[in-house]
Amino acid sequence: MNLARLLEESAGRGDAEYLVAGGRRVAFRENHARAHALATVLRREYGIGRGDRVAILAANGIPWITAFWAVAALGGVVVAMNSRWAAPEVEHALDLTEPALVLADERRRGLVPRTGDGAVPVCAIESVDAMVADGAGEAASGGMRAHSDDPATILFTSGTTGRAKGVVHPHRSLIATVDHQRGPRVDDPAPRRYLLATPLFHVAALHNLTVPRLALGDAAVMWEGRFDVDGVTRLIEGESVTHWSAVPTMASRLLDLLESRPVTARRLQSLRGLSLITAPASTAMQDRLRALVPAARTGLAATYGLTETACPVTAATEADLAADPLCVGSPVPQMEVQIRDGAGVVLVAEPRAADTVDEERHAGVGEIWARGPHLMSGYWRDDEATGAAFDADGWLRTGDVGEFVDGRLRVHSRRTDLIIRGGENVYPAEVAAVVESHPAVDECMVHGAAHPDWGQEVCAVVVPAGDDSGADGAGPALTADLARYVSDRLAAYKVPVRWLVRDAPLPRNASGKVVRAAALQRGGDPAADAPHHLE
């Protein structure tokens, strides 16, 4: 089984809608024809075949997806490049993957080296429609060439620390992700229309939305351009979108819109499911979503996964979140999860249900490990990093710290973000969740800083809510109040002693995760950004 076979089977869905973007509609049969016509030109003009890498450096759009399926039909490998990268990051990814061709849009073509050792053929992705017309009259390109273990995609880690690594997903990984989504359809066979509002260079949009929609006969309704919640809600209403996987930033902006203009809630009447992805959502946010978004009252869900896992490691249903708002659910079918200590010794061996949990055996906080058919095959041309990521039995170390509570996984923080103060572990996510529950706080990031005595001290960056600005002396008063607030809810060693008040939202990467280095930079109102130290 491979992606080319999925493409062939999809043609049988005829004129049902597969893609909707910018008023344009592409049916399954048309998508099949477009992909093969483009594949014909890519093979004829650039010699693309099995195993050849084709990089896509462009904003979301129908041509992006046409190119993806064309490369899949040829047995090639799609290198999904971050469209927000700067030139050095683009050059690094090209040097690493050595693609035979780059498909780039006008805004980003200038980032691709055109001379020297890094030069690679570049084709305007805006010409995809013309290439499709050019190849339409020729014999269909040969498909089904790739083996199930052949690479299908190379995506990149966020690169917030160090240089980005290329995550390789073979065809079997994407097929397994399709099978993961196929299961729930038995209980809900009604037609589905999914909002595609996250970048196609991430697994959330590509592996978990674009590919499964083709295989399962759903429509993908694409939002193009910078995220705008007012426009997105109008799109949901106009296209009768039924499902939306949103990063917390999107959910937060949605809540702000609904609270300022409650009448806009009518635009969401078609939604049946709302899933929170990429980063944990606070209990307060979940409660606000249930209060303001009808679909969230019965269809709120959350998932936990990584670029390296392709599909979610765990999934939380509305019942799971109601029972434990801090959880990310239980392992999805075919995925195994363990909690291990620093030496790799298993502390918890994947409890599946609360009534089967042996409390003595399943107790402990540690690193989350996962194993299943969805996992990456490794990092592209990086045997050392691949070896460090997997053990001899195929278990992947996620780098995240968590625990099972009543059979459900809780993710405390990235292992690298763990704060150790005087020998006591402090999990930033736990502290941040408490700070964000204060009504005067919109966002919070917690981190550790070196301390000559304790080893590390706990620090927090906060963004005040609404008109609560850190300027004009309000910063010290706010942080003193927050320190008292946290002291009432957490152990003393977990209370931040250094506070930075920002007058702008926390900077985030394309996955919705806070970019820590940028969050700590001074900017905006100097009074708002002044650090306040509390002992």
Side-chain angles (χ1 to χ4, degrees), residues 88-387:
E89 296 165 304
V90 170
E91 187 171 0
H92 165 68
L94 294 175
D95 289 343
L96 177 66
T97 58
E98 296 183 321
L101 175 67
V102 176
L103 289 165
D105 59 22
E106 182 179 8
R107 181 177 176 182
R108 297 161 181 87
R109 283 197 288 278
L111 301 176
V112 181
R114 308 304 292 269
T115 60
D117 295 338
V120 59
V122 179
C123 178
I125 201 166
E126 294 89 348
S127 67
V128 160
D129 286 348
M131 296 167 74
V132 166
D134 181 31
E138 301 186 28
S141 61
M144 302 179 62
R145 297 181 177 183
H147 297 165
S148 62
D149 284 327
D150 284 351
T153 62
I154 300 176
L155 277 67
F156 295 86
T157 56
S158 61
T160 52
T161 58
R163 307 192 81 177
K165 298 189 292 288
V167 176
V168 181
H169 282 292
H171 287 258
R172 59 171 170 76
S173 173
L174 279 79
I175 300 301
T177 300
V178 169
D179 290 341
H180 157 68
Q181 295 198 24
R182 197 186 303 272
R185 302 304 293 271
V186 176
D187 299 324
D188 182 14
R192 298 185 177 195
R193 297 173 68 81
Y194 286 76
L195 179 66
L196 197 166
T198 52
L200 283 163
F201 54 80
H202 282 310
V203 292
L206 186 58
H207 295 57
N208 288 274
L209 202 156
T210 301
V211 174
R213 303 293 65 81
L214 182 101
L216 302 178
D218 304 319
V221 179
M222 192 183 313
W223 172 259
E224 296 180 300
R226 185 179 295 274
F227 182 82
D228 171 68
V229 69
D230 185 66
V232 165
T233 56
R234 292 180 187 278
L235 181 64
I236 290 172
E237 179 182 35
E239 293 294 339
S240 300
V241 170
T242 62
H243 291 77
W244 181 12
S245 293
V247 302
T249 300
M250 294 177 178
S252 178
R253 293 179 185 178
L254 174 65
L255 289 169
D256 289 343
L257 174 68
L258 295 177
E259 288 174 341
S260 63
R261 283 190 280 161
V263 68
T264 56
R266 70 174 188 274
R267 302 176 188 171
L268 307 177
Q269 292 178 356
S270 62
L271 273 184
R272 305 204 305 267
L274 177 64
S275 181
L276 301 172
I277 60 174
T278 75
S282 67
T283 302
M285 175 178 284
Q286 294 178 38
D287 289 342
R288 291 169 68 201
L289 286 169
R290 292 188 184 96
L292 297 173
V293 182
R297 294 164 196 159
T298 57
L300 188 64
T303 60
Y304 162 68
L306 310 102
T307 302
E308 289 87 343
T309 64
C311 91
V313 173
T314 64
T317 64
E318 168 57 32
D320 290 325
L321 294 175
D324 182 1
L326 300 179
C327 82
V328 288
S330 56
V332 303
Q334 299 190 64
M335 189 71 80
E336 301 173 88
V337 179
Q338 292 180 347
I339 304 295
R340 301 187 186 184
D341 65 15
V345 176
V346 177
L347 301 175
V348 181
E350 193 206 352
R352 283 281 178 175
D355 58 2
T356 65
V357 175
D358 180 335
E359 292 295 342
E360 185 173 335
R361 180 171 178 242
H362 299 303
V365 175
E367 186 173 8
I368 302 166
W369 290 67
R371 182 172 68 175
H374 320 84
L375 300 186
M376 69 171 184
S377 56
Y379 296 109
W380 182 259
R381 293 179 177 172
D382 195 336
D383 293 340
E384 182 178 354
T386 300

